[in-house]
Amino acid sequence: MSTRHGTPHGTSATGARPPCLDPLARLRAPGDPDRDVYLTGTVFLDIILTGLDSAPVRGTESWARGMGSSPGGVANMATALARLGLRTSLAAAFGDDHYGDYCWDALEQGEGIDLSLSRTVPGWHSPVTVSMAYEGERTMVSHGHEAPQPEPAPACPPPARAAVASLTPGRRDEWIGQAAAEGTRVFADVGWDETGRWDPADLADLEHCEAFLPNADEAMRYTRTECPKAAARALADRVPVAVVTLGPEGAYAVDGATGECARVPAIAVEALDPTGAGDVFVAGFVTGTLAGWPLADRLAFAGLTAALSVQEFGGSLSAPGWLEIAAWWQQVQGLTGQAPAALRRYAFLDGLLPAPARPWPLRRAVPTIGFRAPA
């Protein structure tokens, strides 16, 4: 039990409530792991600037119409999973500064994430990323120092239904194979290959993964193919489920075991800030997979959660919960001119969602750290 700030895990000093829906309720049984999802990585403090008319120009000053601060890095994924009702455990190093305190409190007390495997590193300051969003894209500047050894990931990862791993080209992470050997279902994405090799042999840990979720550019480079569909089919020879994200065009997936393919178009939205959208997509896909949904439903749900997230600013702050999803579904069904086929794609939500208690969209982000709203 983590008691860094004197508040045991599971309580909330910020008034945050537990998720209103447990997507795995019908599957839970005595003897199941306490954790639904385990992940490890680096937590950044994200400072997000929005409302920029253009990219910053050298030698000039630009003003942003919007600003927010939130835990970033691996915290984007952890928050997205927790808001979808999954019991999420994060092993990470936190800086020994106010930024680290803020991120720890926001994750543990605000989101109910288990940080019992995390630690504070004396004398180490938190990594920081400044993200500038404009024209539907983002530019980021980061600063930080490598955390002292040992790594925060435990030698033996804890029992969990699933784990999310970010693969590093050319490097094996021992915990991934250990988790898979213990029956944990591993979902993986990958970062940009700075070496330019794009050698499939550099993704050796794929042998331990149940699903791999790269974007289209990454998938085509690793498979030496010319289109995302061909890339997904090639990846399905190496991993049971290959999902290739197509940005504004949706996503395509292949189940290598059954041969099933699915493509779901993206929901057209006005994007404010795409920070963390890929993490939210993965969280939605993991949720649907653990709940036992069909492949196309998992893709649709993942795309929906990502679309809702880009309409808010901040990676972890923008991750939707079940009430936001329910409010969107209620609203979109009431709009005129909706294509019946498009609505049917999300009909599986009818038997799942709670009644929305708040209007949508919601504004989650706050202007800055320590902001005190007027009484």
Side-chain angles (χ1 to χ4, degrees):
M1 182 167 63
S2 175
T3 57
R4 170 179 172 169
H5 298 287
T7 306
H9 172 69
T11 64
S12 174
T14 60
R17 293 174 295 177
C20 61
L21 187 151
D22 180 359
L24 307 185
R26 66 180 179 84
L27 302 175
R28 299 196 185 280
D32 284 349
D34 292 335
R35 299 167 176 86
D36 291 329
V37 186
Y38 166 79
L39 61 165
T40 184
T42 302
V43 174
F44 287 73
L45 172 71
D46 279 358
I47 300 173
I48 306 98
L49 302 174
T50 65
L52 290 163
D53 295 322
S54 62
V57 177
R58 186 173 66 177
T60 67
E61 181 179 17
S62 300
W63 279 84
R65 291 186 290 273
M67 174 184 166
S69 302
S70 65
V74 72
N76 294 334
M77 180 79 70
T79 299
L81 291 162
R83 288 188 179 175
L84 292 176
L86 298 183
R87 300 170 183 172
T88 303
S89 180
L90 171 63
F94 285 78
D96 187 17
D97 51 22
H98 288 307
Y99 293 170
D101 290 346
Y102 163 75
C103 290
W104 188 294
D105 285 342
L107 296 174
E108 183 184 56
Q109 300 179 28
E111 303 296 344
I113 295 168
D114 171 25
L115 298 181
S116 61
L117 298 174
S118 293
R119 64 194 176 105
T120 298
V121 180
W124 182 62
H125 71 72
S126 300
V128 176
T129 292
V130 177
S131 177
M132 294 160 281
Y134 54 90
E135 298 177 353
E137 293 293 340
R138 70 190 189 276
T139 297
M140 297 182 290
V141 179
S142 297
H143 171 72
H145 300 282
E146 186 174 354
Q149 296 294 326
E151 291 293 334
C156 295
R161 294 174 186 265
V164 180
S166 184
L167 304 184
T168 301
R171 189 188 81 187
R172 276 188 176 271
D173 285 312
E174 187 176 353
W175 74 266
I176 296 175
Q178 291 174 336
E182 295 298 319
T184 297
R185 304 167 72 176
V186 181
F187 299 75
D189 61 12
V190 67
W192 189 258
D193 187 353
E194 299 291 349
T195 69
R197 285 165 45 86
W198 300 102
D199 186 346
D202 287 346
L203 302 179
D205 278 331
L206 274 185
E207 65 180 318
H208 304 302
C209 298
E210 174 172 328
F212 184 43
L213 300 94
N215 64 37
D217 198 9
E218 294 161 347
M220 290 187 291
R221 286 172 182 266
Y222 273 117
T223 58
R224 311 296 196 268
T225 53
E226 298 297 325
C227 76
K229 286 187 177 181
R233 289 193 289 268
L235 289 171
D237 291 334
R238 298 194 60 189
V239 67
V241 178
V243 179
V244 175
T245 58
L246 310 174
E249 298 180 13
Y252 183 79
V254 176
D255 186 322
T258 66
E260 179 185 5
C261 301
R263 178 167 184 174
V264 175
I267 297 172
V269 297
E270 184 176 348
L272 173 66
D273 177 14
T275 303
D279 296 322
V280 175
F281 183 96
V282 173
F285 190 83
V286 171
T287 300
T289 302
L290 294 183
W293 300 350
L295 182 61
D297 289 354
R298 287 181 264 163
L299 276 190
F301 184 73
L304 169 59
T305 56
L308 294 181
S309 77
V310 302
Q311 296 174 88
E312 304 291 332
F313 62 81
S316 60
L317 288 170
S318 68
W322 288 106
L323 289 178
E324 288 92 332
I325 296 167
W328 171 84
W329 182 230
Q330 182 184 64
Q331 181 195 58
V332 76
Q333 291 181 93
L335 297 176
T336 58
Q338 295 294 304
L343 287 179
R344 284 196 298 272
R345 174 60 272 159
Y346 298 92
F348 69 94
L349 296 173
D350 280 330
L352 179 68
L353 294 173
R358 294 174 287 180
W360 178 86
L362 301 178
R363 293 288 166 184
R364 289 186 179 275
V366 296
T368 190
I369 296 171
F371 178 74
R372 293 177 177 83

